Amino acid sequence: MALSPVPAPGRPTGHPLGPSSGRASSTGVAGTAVAPLRAARPAELPSVHGALLCVALPALAVCAEHGQLTGEGPEGVYAAGRRLLSRCVLRVAGREPVALQGRLATADRAVFLGALRVPGDPGPDPGLTVERTRSADGTERITLRSAAARPLRFPVEIALGTDLADLGAVASGRAGPELTASVHGTGLRWTGDGRSVAVTADPPPTDSLAAAGVLRWEAELAPGGTFTVRLRVHDDPATRPAAGAGTGRPGGHLLADAHAEGDDPRPGELLRTSVEDLRALLQRDPAHPADVHLAAGVPWRCGPVTAEALWAARMVLPLGTRLAVTTLRALGRTQLSGAAPESGRIPGPLRDAGPHLPPRCTGIEATLAFPVVLAEARRWGLPPADLEELLPVAERSLGWLRRAAGANGNGLVPDPGPAGPWRAETQAHAHRAALLGADLLDACGRPGGDALRDTARTLRERFRREFWLDDRAGGRPAVGRGQDGRTWPHLGGWAAHLLDTGLLGGGRYAQGLLDRAETEQVARLLGTPALDSGWGLRGLGAKEPGHNPFGHRAGAVRVHETAVAVAGLSAAGHEKEAAALLRGLLDAAEAFGHRLPEMYAGEQRTAGGRPVPHPAACRPAAVAAAGAVHALLALAGIRPDAPGRSVSAHPLRSAPLGAIRFSGLVVAGEPFAVRVGRLGLGMVEEAAEGLQLGV
């Protein structure tokens, strides 16, 4: 059985790279399973920001930039949460190569370059270069290349080792000692804790020293010649847990090959890297291998399907609807049944909500997102058979929404429990679900649409009366309201969700909780230095009590929240604020090598500065990679209505990044391409036959 993971601060726990073990304790919400906070957890997770993470779940390799696997910290090759190889140290003629460069070539492969001087070299120039290519599954190719003018002969040694530790144990410093190796074929083998793993080499080594865990060759290189060793890591299927049977790499083509090209090259790099990362984060539901969903993030959050996976699937609907279908299906199986009031709710753990409010329930977030994602997937071209299968789950979610909104007689949806508090962000999710759910039910000939529109109308009235706080600066929304009438006025990036109203038929956006003047005020606030750090949107304003630039919802920049703001501001016509946030996000992405972490410090940007990584952030993360796609495509403003056989583009008229072209997208199941010129004019260049085009 897998060991319990170590949760990252302020986030729900989930088994790293494997299924959750044991039962979660429940707290806060009746019937909600909440992951326990282990008393033994360390104060900090080991930082992996400086590491190169090769990802192709369930395989993962955590490497330092020098390329050697030393066994220190989380370094190693993992499969389904188990470290298969912790040490892989290369020595040439008794010396380690001088590290020159380490980089990711693709999401699942890293390349390392090193050099060595050979005896007799007259100056500082190295005569021997070393190139190592390592994949997520531990496959490695090591090539020595000689530039010497004479033949060379020297020993090559690779020291290998493993502890077969669970990633949760590695994170908490309880990995244990290395196991003793035995000679196995052309390599070495280790057995422990009921598991067995082997490393084989090609060509076969001259010597295999099991006691030291060393493979040795006598390399001979002619002038200009090369010597190559290939290593493979083998996880013995006979000793693999039964749950691993459905955890192989997902097949098929769930995400389209989207491309961006234009005056600014950065969107193209960010889109390419984000799509690669999303594909690398795909994992199967072990109990239902046909269903695939995104892991929340690597390396700490690769357990069962989460609300983040659903948000990410929504943000990448322009890359196809298949991921949304499989994610919805996986979440739908967890939906509670039985008698009201809990029937229809999707369970989920609590997570930190910042310094002022109690934890919130991710299950409520997923419950309200389910009908929204299904409704919007239909607009992008969801096949009718998938809609028919998932519609009953959406109806039950909407039934729960109506009961929750009417339970206290005030029309608001409490979070996490019946006693509240009532959060502004949750009301935005509920309002969007009600309107898009009503549109979905009407389109499918199902009853309940009018009742949901009544629910939405009541929500709007109560929200404007009880959540909008007037002041001399133009007012602001409150983040929450208590049962006793108390309001929390603290402003943060959460306000972006008030602008995310969702897509209806004919390319129309749904009505929001705010009126026009309130929308303009929120847009202005999101563009102020208190919220816009210059690298993205802060989770809590810099001037608010309790602000912490590293706080998960207390001041750190969360990429997906910034993306929601960019898209919402663009749709509402506030291009100046949207463009500023998008440029900041692009600049941050460039500093992170175009692989955005889920969050980073909300420090104020200064001339010559760089965004500061959060030590416990996952990188790559599903909502960060999907958020990058979502923010970039706001430049084109694509609004599809596949059932209505139309699609239109509403680009940013200011063309903040100059001319740009997006291709390889999917609308109505067919390739879609759109171009935005330097004057902000859009042109659909490729679309499914029979779609009415508009700009």
Side-chain angles (χ1 to χ4, degrees):
M1 180 178 290
L3 299 179
S4 298
V6 180
R11 288 174 285 163
T13 58
H15 187 275
L17 296 174
S20 178
S21 64
R23 297 287 294 175
S25 63
S26 62
T27 179
V29 186
T32 300
V34 181
L37 300 181
R38 306 289 184 185
R41 70 170 180 166
E44 299 173 350
L45 288 168
S47 177
V48 294
H49 171 75
L52 299 178
L53 274 68
C54 307
V55 186
L57 295 182
L60 165 69
V62 182
C63 320
E65 287 193 358
H66 51 64
Q68 304 275 40
L69 295 181
T70 64
E72 296 182 3
E75 285 182 19
V77 175
Y78 297 82
R82 180 74 62 174
R83 183 155 64 180
L84 303 184
L85 187 66
S86 58
R87 190 162 53 91
C88 184
V89 177
L90 171 69
R91 292 185 178 88
V92 179
R95 294 176 294 157
E96 295 187 27
V98 175
L100 301 177
Q101 184 185 75
R103 63 181 177 85
L104 284 175
T106 59
D108 65 342
R109 182 167 53 89
V111 177
F112 308 94
L113 294 177
L116 280 168
R117 294 180 67 237
V118 298
D121 279 347
D125 300 336
L128 195 67
T129 57
V130 182
E131 180 179 271
R132 304 176 71 170
T133 302
R134 182 179 296 130
S135 298
D137 63 0
T139 301
E140 183 167 350
R141 184 184 66 198
I142 302 171
T143 298
L144 311 179
R145 184 171 287 105
S146 172
R150 64 188 186 285
L152 299 177
R153 180 184 175 92
F154 46 78
V156 175
E157 294 182 347
I158 301 177
L160 303 165
T162 185
D163 48 20
L164 287 176
D166 181 270
L167 181 54
V170 173
S172 59
R174 298 181 287 109
E178 281 192 0
L179 302 171
T180 302
S182 61
V183 176
H184 176 76
T186 61
L188 300 173
R189 181 177 180 175
W190 299 263
T191 301
D193 193 24
R195 297 291 294 274
S196 179
V197 65
V199 174
T200 58
D202 180 24
T206 306
D207 296 299
S208 299
L209 309 175
V214 171
L215 303 179
R216 189 175 186 274
W217 295 260
E218 284 293 332
E220 297 185 13
L221 278 75
T226 62
F227 176 78
T228 299
V229 174
R230 293 176 176 83
L231 302 177
R232 288 188 177 276
V233 180
H234 305 269
D235 184 14
D236 188 348
T239 64
R240 197 178 299 154
T247 56
R249 283 297 298 151
H253 193 70
L254 274 80
L255 297 170
D257 291 311
H259 300 280
E261 53 187 346
D263 293 340
D264 189 332
R266 296 176 302 168
E269 285 296 311
L270 179 56
L271 184 59
R272 179 189 60 80
T273 302
S274 297
V275 173
E276 280 189 2
D277 283 344
L278 289 164
R279 287 175 172 164
L281 289 169
L282 291 172
Q283 59 182 9
R284 296 184 185 277
D285 183 334
H288 301 271
D291 288 346
V292 176
H293 60 83
L294 289 164
V298 166
W300 313 122
R301 304 182 63 208
C302 296
V305 62
T306 61
E308 288 95 333
L310 189 54
W311 282 121
R314 181 192 180 207
M315 288 177 163
V316 297
L317 281 171
L319 307 184
T321 61
R322 194 66 203 156
L323 178 59
V325 169
T326 56
T327 305
L328 288 167
R329 190 182 289 143
L331 271 171
R333 279 193 293 269
T334 71
Q335 189 178 51
L336 299 178
S337 58
E342 292 303 301
S343 175
R345 185 171 59 79
I346 295 172
L350 301 181
R351 72 174 171 201
D352 174 59
H356 303 294
L357 290 169
R360 58 179 303 169
C361 179
T362 63
I364 290 177
E365 187 175 345
T367 304
L368 298 174
F370 194 103
V372 169
V373 177
L374 184 60
E376 290 191 329
R378 178 175 174 269
R379 294 296 170 196
W380 283 93
L382 182 74
D386 293 323
L387 176 62
E388 183 178 356
E389 176 192 356
L390 295 166
L391 184 60
V393 185
E395 288 183 291
R396 290 191 289 271
S397 294
L398 293 169
W400 178 87
L401 163 59
R402 287 184 55 202
R403 290 192 298 274
N408 292 282
N410 61 6
L412 301 175
V413 177
D415 184 359
W422 293 277
R423 305 172 197 271
E425 186 177 335
T426 301
Q427 309 319 308
H429 296 331
H431 185 260
R432 179 177 56 241
L435 289 183
L436 269 65
D439 187 57
L440 178 65
L441 295 181
D442 288 351
C444 296
R446 306 297 283 264
D450 290 341
L452 284 167
R453 278 183 279 271
D454 288 342
T455 298
R457 182 170 54 253
T458 301
L459 265 173
R460 285 195 300 275
E461 293 170 353
R462 295 298 297 240
F463 187 89
R464 291 172 181 170
R465 184 163 65 246
E466 300 185 15
F467 280 81
W468 189 262
L469 308 177
D470 291 316
D471 58 31
R472 293 181 179 178
R476 62 163 62 185
V479 64
R481 184 175 180 84
Q483 199 172 30
D484 58 359
R486 175 191 175 189
T487 57
W488 288 270
H490 313 97
L491 192 63
W494 61 266
H497 293 279
L498 298 176
L499 305 180
D500 178 13
T501 62
L503 191 64
L504 296 173
R508 296 177 297 110
Y509 286 114
Q511 182 179 4
L513 283 172
L514 306 177
D515 61 23
R516 182 173 180 177
E518 292 164 347
T519 298
E520 291 178 353
Q521 176 65 359
V522 167
R524 188 189 69 79
L525 292 170
L526 291 176
T528 61
L531 287 182
D532 182 358
S533 70
W535 303 114
L537 202 59
R538 293 185 176 94
L540 184 66
K543 298 180 180 180
E544 302 294 336
H547 171 79
N548 172 8
F550 287 94
H552 172 236
R553 291 179 70 92
V557 174
R558 299 197 299 159
V559 172
H560 83 282
E561 209 160 61
T562 300
V564 168
V566 171
L569 288 165
S570 300
H574 298 280
E575 294 194 10
K576 177 183 177 181
E577 293 82 0
L581 287 172
L582 179 58
R583 289 193 190 98
L585 196 63
L586 272 173
D587 292 341
E590 188 174 26
F592 285 117
H594 302 290
R595 173 178 269 186
L596 282 164
E598 61 181 319
M599 60 179 171
Y600 43 91
E603 300 280 7
Q604 186 62 44
R605 182 174 182 172
T606 57
R610 293 171 63 88
V612 180
H614 190 290
C618 288
R619 178 170 173 257
V623 290
V629 176
H630 191 56
L632 288 173
L633 289 177
L635 290 166
I638 305 167
R639 302 186 193 177
D641 184 8
R645 304 303 297 166
S646 70
V647 61
S648 58
H650 301 260
L652 296 187
R653 297 297 183 185
S654 58
L657 302 182
I660 190 167
R661 180 180 186 268
F662 294 102
S663 61
L665 306 177
V666 180
V667 176
E670 298 292 337
F672 182 84
V674 61
R675 180 186 297 274
V676 180
R678 294 185 181 92
L679 298 179
L681 300 178
M683 176 182 294
V684 175
E685 294 190 337
E686 183 180 17
E689 186 176 354
L691 284 184
Q692 181 179 352
L693 309 180
V695 292

